[in-house]
Amino acid sequence: MSDLSCNRPAQRFALAASDPGVIEKSHQRSSAYGLARQDKPDIGPLGAAALSLLLEQNHALYTHALPVMETLYEQIINTHNMVLLTDASGVIVHALGDDDFLVKAERVALNPGVAWSEQSKGTNAIGTALAERAPTTVHADAHYLQANHFLTCSAAPIFDHQGKILGVLDVSGDRDSYHKHTMALVRMSAQMIENQLFTAAFENAVTLHFHSRPEFVGTLMEGIACFTPGGRFLSANRSALFQLGLPLTALQSHTFSSLFGLPVSTLFDHYRTAAPGLLDLCLHSGVRVSAKAELRLSNSVFQHFSEVRPAADAAAPAPSKSPPRLSSLRYLNTGDPQMAALIGKLDKVRGRDIPVLITGETGTGKELLAQAIHNDSPRRHGAFVAVNCASIPETLIESELFGYEEGAFTGARKKGGQGKILQANGGTLFLDEIGDMPLALQARLLRVLQERMVTPLGSTKSIPVNLALICATNRNLRELIAASLFREDLYYRLNGLVVKLPALRERSDLEAIVNKLLLEEPGGEPCCTVAPDIMALFHRHGWPGNFRQLSNLLRTAVVMAGADRVIRLEHLPDDFLEDVQALPPAALNAAGSGSLEDLAQTAVRQAFEASGGNVSATAKALGVSRNTVYRKLNLR
């Protein structure tokens, strides 16, 4: 069975040189191949013609990997390391490295055209990653051949959408330059290449990007699943398999509707709206996810930040009558006086071309507010383009924002790339975590805002832009200015209207918020209700994670409640209960008769008795750990 069929893909990341069993098995294989530790490695590369053919055969892999390799190399430059890309048999396709290490590397032929399989070089990160089908670190003496003992290497295989290995991404360097974070960088980079290859593999398809946490949509953590225009499942990346909880073979019999509880026609309707936001979908397991889609149909690409207004089709399904969730300022006004005042201020500057700066703690809903501002503005028929300045690598953020011309840098796409600023032309640009933007780019952004012109990298031509700007941060920009980490002139350009979103614990409309989050769909019936004693606990909790914490807690509780459809104490996660137990006794008076501990013990004991005294079954039924059951029942 292919590795992609595993519904616990994180297990593939467990292998490393610290696992002696992995290294010992590899040494045994190396010996069986007839290699001796004192052997001089075969360093004969392919000829020029064969190397050219190798590049041609691996064109897609090389094209998508090259810019990622460039970025990875920028992060490890001047550390006596090099970045390598191999094909599926371990032959090096491309290499980038520090000059001071290249001399050493040439001694063992870490060069394009040289094979680094276990059969050729014995135990090494590239060959062993291929053999184990898993990310692998091989450090110093763990290499089978003595000639390679001066190396430390971290490698991760790159899989296609069918679970077939396409190649390996590797960082190799001097053993004295070993750093424990190198493997994490390699794994993330390999995942980035995989996701790009996955998306490019399906031309005439519906590609869904999703995650249970909306801020992870568009990042390496997102799940990606592809479907035919009719909704038949095609494939999914590793994150999607993990979230869906099904192997690839089982998913082949599914459709978009069976997995996400929504006809694919409704998805098309959503993208016929002028400025579609993130979709709120429910997995077959009951877990809610946020999603965006690319509809690559008839050579047209529509994305969540693209304006999509196809001509009306009499045969097309009727548009959905339900408006997108949290789609306007009115919808966000749920009875809290602070929010009402904030929305009143925003109403007054609507359509006045005044930049808005949203502040507040993490998880208070800054992007939701920005989307609502856009949807209520005269620019609502234009694009809403969100950029998280903290999540894009510093080496990529400039090209992401401003775009680039063909040949602007090594690995640049043919015909160049359109930056986020130009994508937002005619609409709204939302710069989240603006306080984390590098200083050098702050100067360029200020110039764009002043001149209303953007110049892509590698171009001498400036392009006029007309957009609304919304920024957000959970940092104190004035403190950053005092520390010379943020430009004062840019700050005064951004803060036309500053609004601060209150923390969830400071709001008076918690019950209304909970009820909205529990709606199956806007205007529908709640999928669950909250027991009065639990709502009392909610009112007394500090909610350090704000809406993000509340939303995730409710999603889990809904699944645990199941057919009961009432969220009770036994449906709440351990960490929440532990936090609430730490509250002063006076704060728990309204939590029902008796103390919270008594309630918890009663719930656990009832489940324990119902399971016939089975601790494992009790823990599973309540969604808690076995240790919690032991602790609540004083079992030894």
Side-chain angles (χ1 to χ4, degrees), residues 387 397-403 419-422 431 437 441:
V387 181
I397 192 170
E398 186 171 17
S399 60
E400 282 285 307
L401 274 177
F402 303 103
K420 301 294 188 184
I421 292 176
L422 284 176
L431 297 178
M437 177 175 283
L441 293 192

Side-chain angles (χ1 to χ4, degrees), residues 38 231 312 345 392 580:
Q38 298 78 20
K345 293 178 182 178
I392 303 175
V580 175

Side-chain angles (χ1 to χ4, degrees), residues 425-505:
N425 191 23
T428 301
L429 177 67
F430 174 56
L431 297 178
D432 199 5
E433 307 294 353
I434 186 67
D436 293 289
M437 177 175 283
L439 267 172
L441 293 192
Q442 292 178 27
R444 284 204 64 185
L445 177 62
L446 177 63
R447 189 160 58 250
V448 169
L449 297 179
Q450 289 173 336
E451 301 173 358
R452 297 286 177 163
M453 304 281 285
V454 63
T455 307
L457 295 179
S459 174
T460 58
K461 180 182 178 182
S462 295
I463 305 170
V465 289
N466 179 9
L467 53 80
L469 181 67
I470 305 174
C471 297
T473 183
N474 60 0
R475 307 182 67 179
N476 189 318
L477 294 185
R478 290 184 179 275
E479 291 180 358
L480 294 179
I481 291 171
S484 300
L485 296 175
F486 199 85
R487 293 180 63 104
E488 188 172 18
D489 48 3
L490 178 60
Y491 172 76
Y492 288 113
R493 172 66 67 171
L494 301 179
N495 75 337
L497 174 65
V498 181
V499 294
K500 181 179 180 181
L501 276 172
L504 188 56
R505 63 183 175 277

Side-chain angles (χ1 to χ4, degrees), residues 206-211 214 216-219 222-225 227 256 260 267 270-271 276-281 289-295 302-306 386 420 423:
V206 175
T207 302
L208 194 74
H209 304 254
F210 64 95
H211 200 279
F216 285 165
V217 177
T219 72
E222 71 178 0
I224 307 176
F227 302 84
F256 180 86
F260 295 98
L267 184 71
H270 178 76
Y271 283 94
L278 288 179
L279 285 157
D280 183 14
L281 302 177
V289 296
S290 296
K292 69 176 184 181
E294 293 174 309
L295 311 181
F302 304 138
Q303 300 183 15
H304 79 291
F305 46 74
S306 299
K420 301 294 188 184
Q423 290 174 16

Side-chain angles (χ1 to χ4, degrees), residues 7 38 64 86 185 220 250 318 331 343 373 376 393 439 504 526 544 563 618:
N7 60 9
Q38 298 78 20
H64 289 282
T86 81
L185 291 173
L220 289 179
Y331 193 88
I343 290 170
I373 294 170
D376 279 1
L439 267 172
L504 188 56
T618 302

Side-chain angles (χ1 to χ4, degrees), residues 181-386:
H181 296 313
T182 302
M183 174 54 87
L185 291 173
V186 172
R187 282 166 38 193
M188 289 172 61
S189 299
Q191 181 68 63
M192 187 179 298
I193 297 169
E194 278 187 17
N195 285 354
Q196 292 177 3
L197 285 165
F198 182 92
T199 304
F202 299 96
E203 290 299 327
N204 187 34
V206 175
T207 302
L208 194 74
H209 304 254
F210 64 95
H211 200 279
S212 59
R213 295 176 59 173
E215 67 270 24
F216 285 165
V217 177
T219 72
L220 289 179
M221 304 297 292
E222 71 178 0
I224 307 176
C226 284
F227 302 84
T228 67
R232 180 173 56 83
F233 176 84
L234 292 172
S235 191
N237 73 345
R238 288 187 284 113
S239 176
L241 295 176
F242 183 77
Q243 293 186 67
L244 292 168
L246 292 171
L248 189 61
T249 50
L251 286 168
Q252 298 297 335
S253 60
H254 275 273
T255 64
F256 180 86
S257 178
S258 66
L259 291 173
F260 295 98
L262 193 74
V264 72
S265 59
T266 304
L267 184 71
F268 297 153
D269 291 340
H270 178 76
Y271 283 94
R272 287 190 175 96
T273 60
L278 288 179
L279 285 157
D280 183 14
L281 302 177
C282 188
L283 300 184
H284 64 101
S285 61
V287 175
R288 288 196 172 278
V289 296
S290 296
K292 69 176 184 181
E294 293 174 309
L295 311 181
R296 300 188 174 195
L297 310 175
S298 302
N299 298 321
S300 294
V301 180
F302 304 138
Q303 300 183 15
H304 79 291
F305 46 74
S306 299
E307 180 180 0
V308 183
R309 286 182 288 174
D313 185 347
S320 172
K321 295 180 181 179
S322 300
R325 178 170 293 190
L326 299 179
S327 59
S328 69
L329 293 171
R330 177 194 55 77
Y331 193 88
L332 296 181
N333 192 354
T334 51
D336 179 72
Q338 301 170 88
M339 285 299 296
L342 181 152
I343 290 170
K345 293 178 182 178
L346 292 169
D347 278 335
K348 290 180 180 179
V349 301
R350 184 187 304 180
R352 299 297 183 90
D353 200 24
I354 294 176
V356 177
L357 177 61
I358 306 171
T359 65
E361 296 178 8
T362 297
T364 49
K366 292 187 283 291
E367 183 168 352
L368 289 176
L369 179 61
Q371 178 76 68
I373 294 170
H374 169 79
N375 287 354
D376 279 1
S377 76
R379 297 177 181 270
R380 59 185 173 273
H381 296 301
F384 176 81
V385 180

